[in-house]
Amino acid sequence: MTQQSNAAHGSLGDPTWPVARCVVQSKELARPGYKSETAAEYLDSPEVIDAKVAVLAHMLRKSPATVAYTGAGLSTAAGIGDYASRASGTLALRWGDEKGKQAGTKAKVSMRARQPTQAHRVLAGLERVGLLHQWINQNHDGLAQKATFPQERLVEIHGRSAVALQAQHHSEQPELTRAHVGRCPHALPAARSLTITPHARPNTLLRH
């Protein structure tokens, strides 16, 4: 596998897959002050996406413990903007963007009215059939819970809106996290802008 293909598609990607096309160029860092990629945006071809899904499904079926790690991009399809989409002409929904307001009005849609995206529901479905064992989520929008993902398997690293349960779950989650990450051969990072370098690097397929 060439270095370019490995960087674009992960360690289990096919070297014959074409590199994703840059659709929005930017030299600005997505997360200034962190180990971050630029804010440039890329799209794989539909054929490569289908091939990646097939590889990912195989990884999930053979993994004894899989942990998902997700960021703000998971909720943009629900109308919640993110902070890292800084490129001019971004395809994503930025925090405070007019798209985050109800169509045809100047009123913002309440956070409580937001509904889970297809991605939230897929993660919840993977947990129900035993293919996802823990979800580490940077968001605190409540969409994971609305998608019926069990709270006891959810780590919300920035806290959550339901403050009454926050202390209880935060006291339980570190041990749960160590138990799964310690034996986790596969990580599923998605919709995040920071680069992750685990102490014991698991196999990864998708970089974003």
Side-chain angles (χ1 to χ4, degrees), residues 87-123:
S88 176
T90 178
L91 303 182
L93 178 63
R94 290 184 286 195
W95 187 260
D97 195 295
E98 283 294 316
K99 294 177 184 177
K101 297 181 179 180
Q102 190 171 8
T105 76
K106 294 184 178 180
K108 285 192 175 183
V109 178
S110 167
M111 184 68 75
R112 292 185 178 182
R114 305 294 181 182
Q115 295 301 311
T117 67
Q118 185 174 0
H120 290 94
R121 299 188 189 281
V122 165
L123 291 176

Side-chain angles (χ1 to χ4, degrees), residues 10 14 42 45 49 51 67 73 78-79 86 92 96-97 107 110 123 131 141 166 172 180 196 208:
D14 188 325
Y42 298 83
S45 67
I49 292 176
V67 175
R86 299 170 176 268
D97 195 295
S110 167
L123 291 176
L131 295 178
D141 48 31
Q166 182 173 335
E172 298 170 352
H180 283 102
I196 307 173
H208 298 288

Side-chain angles (χ1 to χ4, degrees), residues 38-104:
T38 71
E41 298 174 13
Y42 298 83
L43 288 178
D44 277 320
S45 67
E47 294 76 17
V48 170
I49 292 176
D50 286 344
K52 285 185 174 182
V53 169
V55 175
L56 179 58
H58 176 72
M59 291 169 62
L60 291 172
R61 290 190 184 103
K62 73 176 185 178
S63 174
T66 297
V67 175
Y69 180 61
T70 61
L74 198 72
S75 297
T76 54
I80 302 171
D82 68 63
Y83 290 102
S85 300
R86 299 170 176 268
S88 176
T90 178
L91 303 182
L93 178 63
R94 290 184 286 195
W95 187 260
D97 195 295
E98 283 294 316
K99 294 177 184 177
K101 297 181 179 180
Q102 190 171 8

